[in-house]
Amino acid sequence: MKWNKYTIETTTAAEDFISSMLSDLGIEGVEIEDNIQLSQKDTAKMFIDFLPELPPDEGVGKVSFYLDAGEDHTEILKQVKEELEQLRLFTDVGAGTITESQTEDVDWINNWKEFFHSFTIDNIVIKPTWEPLEDGDKDKILIEIDPGVSFGTGKHETTQLCIRQLGKFLKAGDQVLDLGCGSGILSIVSLKLGAAHVTGTDIDDDCMISTYDNMEVNHLPKEQGTFYVGNLIDDIDLQQKVGTETYDVVVANILADVIIPMAPVIPARMKSGGILITSGIIDFKETEVKEAIESAGLEVIEIAHQGEWVSITAQKK
């Protein structure tokens, strides 16, 4: 089936107004394009690891909608143009021009699957649930991904850096703290590697649901994970819930600008000799993060790079 795609050039301020207007006209399923970075809450249900860097937001946006190519759209387009002029009375709609193109019907929900297949990180295989396990992978540690739930794929460099360091430093029976646990991939890897229990924190409460869902997909008992919503940097109650001198391994796959202010409160959570594994660090922030970790009293024992990303591993002496 073919569709006509109509794209309105507008401003980011008017995107919601235009989307609502199109809905009132009976048009469903709009598409918005702009350079406004999505928040963590926005991406909680998305199949995503790290957000891409976007060009600067210049306040310009595009709102597109689709209509059956076999129908006459003269009247509906006339209504859209009239409503755009009405919107101009109370908001800046920008150019407000409408361009037309044609597209084939696409199964957007499932087509991404053809680009995601099983892959290995050292002795760990990460496999989508719809693929069979290869004979050569049967002796590896298996992490399964269900496309029906939120889950980082593990393909992002920062996640792979953390997984490799967990494989190197985590011991059977360890207590693990996953800071910025997201949808739980590092918590699940830790449990699969033999951790006795994982405690996770994240500022987004949706991540708690996703993490437990993903533990179930990977046949892990719910009792092996405890997860809290909050910001460890300044939430005293959360610091108390998480505990003091409790963890053999702390892993933080979060951005450098979060690791730096969080560094002073991390050592108190760690046992003597405990290991801190960090990533999410863009290469030009390496020195700044290293200095913050050392200023917190930890000894940096290893720095690894993959692409433009950095992992810093430190120990509490």
Side-chain angles (χ1 to χ4, degrees):
M1 183 174 180
K2 292 186 177 181
W3 299 84
N4 283 354
K5 178 181 179 181
Y6 296 98
T7 301
I8 303 169
E9 184 175 338
T10 184
T11 64
T12 53
E15 289 171 347
D16 287 343
F17 293 113
I18 292 175
S19 299
S20 178
M21 174 266 288
L22 293 172
S23 178
D24 290 342
L25 292 175
I27 297 171
E28 300 179 353
V30 300
E31 174 185 298
I32 296 176
E33 300 173 74
D34 56 36
N35 289 331
I36 298 176
Q37 187 69 277
L38 295 175
S39 68
Q40 187 175 21
K41 185 173 183 179
D42 293 329
T43 60
K45 300 297 184 183
M46 296 182 183
F47 197 81
I48 193 167
D49 287 285
F50 269 68
L51 295 173
E53 293 291 332
L54 294 175
D57 173 31
E58 297 179 348
V60 177
K62 294 179 180 179
V63 180
S64 299
F65 57 96
Y66 297 82
L67 300 174
D68 188 337
E71 298 178 357
D72 182 4
H73 306 141
T74 304
E75 182 58 31
I76 190 67
L77 290 175
K78 178 183 176 183
Q79 294 178 47
V80 170
K81 291 173 183 177
E82 289 174 351
E83 292 296 327
L84 283 172
E85 292 308 310
Q86 289 297 312
L87 286 176
R88 286 188 189 279
L89 299 177
F90 62 89
T91 191
D92 179 13
V93 301
T97 54
I98 303 176
T99 56
E100 178 184 349
S101 59
Q102 198 169 75
T103 183
E104 297 284 348
D105 195 11
V106 177
D107 183 359
W108 300 108
I109 294 176
N110 292 302
N111 276 12
W112 61 271
K113 292 182 181 179
E114 66 179 280
F115 301 105
F116 180 64
H117 302 286
S118 301
F119 66 100
T120 59
I121 303 172
D122 296 336
N123 68 326
I124 297 171
V125 57
I126 297 178
K127 181 187 78 65
T129 54
W130 62 85
E131 282 192 358
L133 183 65
E134 298 290 338
D135 289 340
D137 292 330
K138 289 184 177 178
D139 292 332
K140 296 184 172 114
I141 296 169
L142 175 63
I143 308 291
E144 288 193 286
I145 295 175
D146 186 333
V149 295
S150 168
F151 204 110
T153 66
K155 283 198 167 183
H156 195 276
E157 290 93 334
T158 62
T159 311
Q160 293 189 22
L161 284 163
C162 285
I163 290 173
R164 289 194 176 95
Q165 295 304 92
L166 284 169
K168 185 180 294 187
F169 290 99
L170 190 148
K171 304 180 300 299
D174 276 355
Q175 296 287 326
V176 176
L177 176 60
D178 184 359
L179 299 174
C181 59
S183 51
I185 188 168
L186 294 179
S187 292
I188 290 167
V189 168
S190 297
L191 292 171
K192 291 277 190 170
L193 287 170
H197 187 273
V198 172
T199 300
T201 70
D202 203 285
I203 60 173
D204 185 358
D205 53 5
D206 287 337
C207 292
M208 306 301 106
I209 299 170
S210 297
T211 298
Y212 280 124
D213 286 345
N214 293 325
M215 286 179 66
E216 183 177 355
V217 168
N218 284 275
H219 315 292
L220 294 168
K222 187 176 181 179
E223 295 72 26
Q224 281 194 280
T226 303
F227 301 94
Y228 300 106
V229 178
N231 189 336
L232 196 71
I233 295 172
D234 53 14
D235 188 333
I236 303 301
D237 183 55
L238 178 62
Q239 292 173 14
Q240 292 174 345
K241 287 179 181 177
V242 166
T244 302
E245 297 186 353
T246 303
Y247 301 98
D248 304 283
V249 176
V250 177
V251 60
N253 186 24
I254 45 184
L255 296 175
D257 290 341
V258 179
I259 296 172
I260 291 168
M262 191 180 286
V265 303
I266 292 177
R269 322 274 77 84
M270 302 168 66
K271 295 177 181 177
S272 178
I275 296 293
L276 170 65
I277 298 167
T278 66
S279 194
I281 306 163
I282 195 71
D283 51 14
F284 59 81
K285 293 273 190 177
E286 176 183 332
T287 299
E288 194 175 350
V289 175
K290 178 175 179 290
E291 290 174 352
I293 290 172
E294 290 174 334
S295 295
L298 301 179
E299 179 184 346
V300 172
I301 58 174
E302 192 168 319
I303 297 177
H305 299 82
Q306 187 170 341
E308 60 185 354
W309 298 96
V310 182
S311 171
I312 298 176
T313 301
Q315 187 169 31
K316 181 178 179 179
K317 295 295 186 180

